[in-house]
Amino acid sequence: MSTFDSSKRLISLDMLRGLTIALMIVVNDPGSWEHLYWPLAHASWHGITITDFVYPFFIFIVGVSVVLSSSKQLDAGADKGKMRKKIWIRSLKIFGLGIFLNLFPDFNFMELRIPGVLQRIAIVYLVCALIGLSTGWKGQLKIAVFLLVGYWLAMMLIPVPGIGAGVLEPGKNLAAWIDSVVIPLRLYQGTWDPEGLLSTLPAIATGITGMLAGQLLKQDMDIEKKLNYLFFIGFVCVLGGYAWDLVFPFNKNLWSSSFVLFTSGWAFMSFAACILIVDVHGYNKVAKFGVIYGSNAITIYVLAGMLPVLLNGVLGVKGLFFNGLVDVGMAPKLASALWAFLYMFICFIPAYIMYKKKIFIKV
């Protein structure tokens, strides 16, 4: 294998981040929500599809980035107090962007939904970054195990008023009850929210699995051994997730502990494969598309959340595209998927322009 320096910026990480954001855009904006191929739709409740991997992959990447970024700052002599301040400020910025997207375009504060995708990412980043400044990999592993086992036991053993213990049905489980009691204003599903409070705890564990991958890359050992460990840990996590699924099913809405292990396992192995292809063997052209998207990931995600107001609402482009293809005989699912991928490439245009002009917006 060729030489590998983990202290340098990992092109593979940018690539994986960008591909994740691109797929996130695809699954978030189909031509019609009523016509979806099953891989491009979330599992309705228990179960898992390819789409369900997108969000945990991004949070895993956040965890890896936290370790690599903080390590560089500490090696350069950065003050931990100032680092903590920056962590809080960045978290508040990401959380604020999430609130902005929830309000956009009507800005009806009476219908404000406080939880959201970026809000959960902000909380996970905050907790993981603070944990990273005060613990090593062993402490981080213990926290992740505590969160996953504790969440499982809480969901199965703590009785929900009027329902009982161990119920995992929509709106009738412990996480949903806590959402309805604690979170003010509007919840995404009326009485519960997929980015609710309790289910954010196992999401933090997902972020910690990414931190553990980052910690492994920092170790003083050959890259061959590092990659073997990443693949092996990923494989063990996938098997562990399958086993846990028997008693605590895969469920993205609940962010179940089995879901964390299973998706993190695949993230470990995907990350290892990207490192092998790009950073070790140097196939940088393969990474270009993902790197362009990943260089301004949060910015492009926010832009992708705003553009539909123009394209779908004001100009009606999506309707014309989807209905036009269906009217000439194309299968609705295919027309819906084609729009999703076309929209992803539309969002690639500003990403490419910013990348070429070396504009990198750090939230």
Side-chain angles (χ1 to χ4, degrees), residues 194-210:
E195 278 82 45
L197 191 62
L198 187 64
S199 59
T200 297
L201 296 179
I204 292 171
T206 297
I208 294 176
T209 62

Side-chain angles (χ1 to χ4, degrees), residues 51-290:
T51 296
D52 294 318
F53 281 85
V54 176
Y55 197 2
F57 262 51
F58 192 84
I59 290 182
F60 176 91
I61 294 166
V62 168
V64 177
S65 301
V66 161
V67 170
L68 299 183
S69 175
S70 62
S71 296
K72 288 180 181 178
Q73 293 179 62
L74 291 171
D75 290 343
D79 178 71
K80 284 190 176 181
K82 291 181 179 179
M83 288 177 67
R84 289 188 179 94
K85 182 179 179 180
K86 289 181 180 178
I87 289 167
W88 275 97
I89 291 173
R90 187 173 188 226
S91 300
L92 289 173
K93 286 180 179 178
I94 297 173
F95 196 94
L97 282 173
I99 294 294
F100 171 80
L101 281 181
N102 283 356
L103 285 169
F104 186 83
D106 298 323
F107 292 94
N108 182 354
F109 285 86
M110 295 303 295
E111 291 295 318
L112 172 63
R113 174 186 170 226
I114 295 177
V117 171
L118 288 180
Q119 293 90 314
R120 172 167 282 180
I121 290 172
I123 294 170
V124 170
Y125 166 74
L126 173 67
V127 176
C128 287
L130 294 178
I131 288 174
L133 288 179
S134 56
T135 64
W137 73 267
K138 291 182 180 178
Q140 292 160 19
L141 177 60
K142 290 177 182 177
I143 292 171
V145 171
F146 173 79
L147 289 173
L148 293 180
V149 174
Y151 180 66
W152 172 46
L153 294 176
M155 290 292 287
M156 302 306 295
L157 300 179
I158 297 178
V160 177
I163 296 174
V167 177
L168 299 177
E169 297 306 310
K172 298 179 181 179
N173 54 76
L174 180 65
W177 180 77
I178 290 178
D179 289 348
S180 65
V181 172
V182 176
I183 300 176
L185 303 176
R186 185 174 69 89
L187 297 175
Y188 190 74
Q189 296 291 353
T191 58
W192 61 277
D193 200 290
E195 278 82 45
L197 191 62
L198 187 64
S199 59
T200 297
L201 296 179
I204 292 171
T206 297
I208 294 176
T209 62
M211 293 176 69
L212 294 172
Q215 293 281 9
L216 179 57
L217 290 180
K218 287 170 49 188
Q219 301 305 307
D220 185 18
M221 64 177 74
D222 294 338
I223 182 56
E224 292 91 340
K225 190 173 289 186
K226 290 180 182 180
L227 291 178
N228 285 338
Y229 274 122
L230 286 173
F231 278 118
F232 177 73
I233 292 169
F235 182 70
V236 171
C237 286
V238 167
L239 291 182
Y242 266 126
W244 215 337
D245 173 60
L246 298 175
V247 292
F248 194 19
F250 297 142
N251 192 305
K252 176 189 172 292
N253 289 294
L254 296 177
W255 213 275
S256 58
S257 302
S258 59
F259 176 78
V260 172
L261 272 190
F262 189 70
T263 54
S264 290
W266 281 107
F268 267 103
M269 293 189 285
S270 299
F271 186 34
C274 289
I275 293 174
L276 180 62
I277 294 169
V278 179
D279 292 303
V280 175
H281 288 304
Y283 296 118
N284 292 344
K285 290 183 179 180
V286 176
K288 198 70 173 180
F289 178 83

